[in-house]
Amino acid sequence: DEILEALKPDYIQGLSLLGGEPFEPENQPAVLDLVRQVRAAYPLKNIWAYSGYTFEQLQTLAPELLGQITVLVDGPFVEQQKDLRLAFRGSANQRILDVPASLERGEPVLWKENP
């Protein structure tokens, strides 16, 4: 309820799922319930998710949850590829993906901030 209330203002663009692993099998039921509630209450808000899993892995591991996400930052953080100049990600191996476009095409589609 607190999260839904915090998302109410128009200046809040959406929700970010990170910390731990939102796509870990034991976390999926609670996370899926939350994102469904957010989608129902705020269908135009973005839902970003950060995962150590890749898009390709998540298509099998968590297809229903993946289908609720707008943008996915995928792949594990790799210390040797750390780059503080990167926007929205910590290491160069990580991708920022447009999930609806990726699911439609059946392959990863990079997110464009201002399409």
Side-chain angles (χ1 to χ4, degrees):
D1 291 339
E2 288 178 42
I3 292 171
L4 292 173
E5 186 65 28
L7 290 169
K8 216 178 231 184
D10 289 339
Y11 61 85
I12 302 294
Q13 293 181 353
L15 174 70
S16 294
L17 304 170
L18 61 146
E21 175 55 62
F23 292 95
E24 199 62 40
E26 60 267 14
N27 295 336
Q28 287 182 39
V31 175
L32 183 57
D33 182 52
L34 172 62
V35 296
R36 283 182 177 152
Q37 289 182 54
V38 170
R39 283 274 173 245
Y42 308 108
L44 300 178
K45 299 220 185 233
N46 293 319
I47 299 177
W48 281 55
Y50 288 76
S51 179
Y53 293 109
T54 65
F55 172 79
E56 294 83 357
Q57 292 169 317
L58 292 174
Q59 286 182 290
T60 301
L61 180 66
E64 192 172 0
L65 180 53
L66 183 63
Q68 299 293 315
I69 305 303
T70 311
V71 176
L72 173 68
V73 180
D74 79 338
F77 172 78
V78 175
E79 184 68 38
Q80 296 82 354
Q81 296 185 40
K82 179 179 177 180
D83 186 344
L84 298 177
R85 298 168 293 177
L86 296 171
F88 305 113
R89 57 197 173 126
S91 58
N93 65 298
Q94 295 173 311
R95 303 176 293 183
I96 305 172
L97 302 176
D98 178 327
V99 175
S102 298
L103 291 172
E104 185 177 312
R105 287 195 192 169
E107 63 184 22
V109 175
L110 295 178
W111 174 75
K112 295 179 182 148
E113 186 172 0
N114 296 309

